[in-house]
Amino acid sequence: MTETEMVHEQIDTIDALMAHYVAGSLPEPARVLVQSHLEMKPDNRSLVNSLELLAGEALENAPEVAIADRDGRLAAIFSSASPVPAAQTATRPENALFPQALRALLGFEAEDVPWRRRLPGFREYSLDMDGCEVSLMWIRPGRALPAHTHKGMELILILDGAFNDERGRFGPGDISIADETVDHRPVAEKDRPCIAFAVSDGPVKLTGSFRQMIGDLIG
């Protein structure tokens, strides 16, 4: 992975994203985003389970090859921490806004986010992690974000509330996938703030008319 490439192949659908999740090819924050999505929408684990079965069958049918540095690899496996059982990672405390995977990544809950005001009606908390820009976003009800496209890939998981753009509605548990082919202007729904977790590997490029851009920037 490079700083401007989240994976080596394009991800343009949820199915493709899930396939990369099962293959273990996503950077850590993107992996956590998908795991959080599955906590919020456990019914979608059926696709992941099917992909895992296919991957297992492919491994079983693959020809045997010698393992390089066998003793060193075994030593690394036995010295690593034991994985947490899936049944434990899927538990979501009552009234918790953040899925457990996201809380484990960030180290805090929604009420403790150190928000910074970026624009009127738009707050953000951001950090760099594993070659990606990771951010939490809070968007005031009814607020539009400036129209933009992406110089890279952006994954957004909706945690609460919803936004609408040219592609449709994204509500709690939904994932928005956007790249340079998507030019959109997300607008938070009017009944409550939209809170989201985003992972991107490239900057945004503002689009739209100058008049619209100024209006969206000032909120």
Side-chain angles (χ1 to χ4, degrees):
M1 189 189 73
T2 65
E3 289 188 359
T4 58
E5 188 176 37
M6 196 172 295
V7 293
H8 295 298
E9 297 90 21
Q10 183 181 20
I11 295 176
D12 55 3
T13 66
I14 293 295
D15 287 0
L17 179 62
M18 295 301 157
H20 281 285
Y21 172 76
V22 170
S25 59
L26 295 175
E28 179 63 9
R31 185 196 67 79
V32 168
L33 183 145
V34 174
Q35 188 174 342
S36 299
H37 159 78
L38 294 172
E39 287 185 43
M40 297 180 73
K41 292 196 168 184
D43 289 348
N44 289 355
R45 273 215 66 92
S46 58
L47 172 60
V48 171
N49 292 338
S50 298
L51 292 171
E52 289 173 340
L53 287 173
L54 289 173
E57 291 175 1
L59 284 175
E60 289 180 357
N61 296 326
E64 296 182 2
V65 295
I67 299 177
D69 188 21
R70 175 179 176 276
D71 292 339
R73 288 174 180 249
L74 286 173
I77 291 171
F78 289 126
S79 64
S80 62
S82 299
V84 178
Q88 295 182 24
T89 61
T91 303
R92 194 178 184 196
E94 188 176 358
N95 300 323
L97 180 62
F98 287 177
Q100 184 169 332
L102 182 56
R103 291 199 312 278
L105 179 74
L106 299 175
F108 49 76
E109 214 351 302
E111 58 266 22
D112 301 316
V113 178
W115 295 112
R116 294 188 63 182
R117 182 176 180 270
R118 298 297 187 186
L119 297 169
F122 177 70
R123 306 175 198 163
E124 186 179 38
Y125 167 75
S126 62
L127 66 155
D128 293 327
M129 183 182 297
D130 202 6
C132 300
E133 181 176 342
V134 178
S135 63
L136 292 167
M137 299 183 292
W138 182 97
I139 310 170
R140 184 186 65 212
R143 201 212 197 282
L145 296 184
H148 62 277
T149 186
H150 302 269
K151 295 181 179 180
M153 182 171 296
E154 177 190 66
L155 305 174
I156 299 179
L157 171 67
I158 306 301
L159 301 170
D160 195 34
F163 75 71
N164 293 269
D165 65 10
E166 291 74 2
R167 300 166 298 166
R169 181 182 189 271
F170 296 87
D174 292 338
I175 298 176
S176 162
I177 302 175
D179 58 16
E180 69 277 359
T181 67
V182 175
D183 189 337
H184 62 155
R185 180 174 177 261
V187 181
E189 292 189 346
K190 295 182 178 181
D191 61 334
R192 62 192 300 125
C194 178
I195 301 175
F197 173 55
V199 178
S200 62
D201 62 3
V204 300
K205 177 183 177 183
L206 295 181
T207 59
S209 68
F210 180 76
R211 180 177 180 179
Q212 182 188 71
M213 187 186 306
I214 295 299
D216 288 343
L217 287 172
I218 64 177

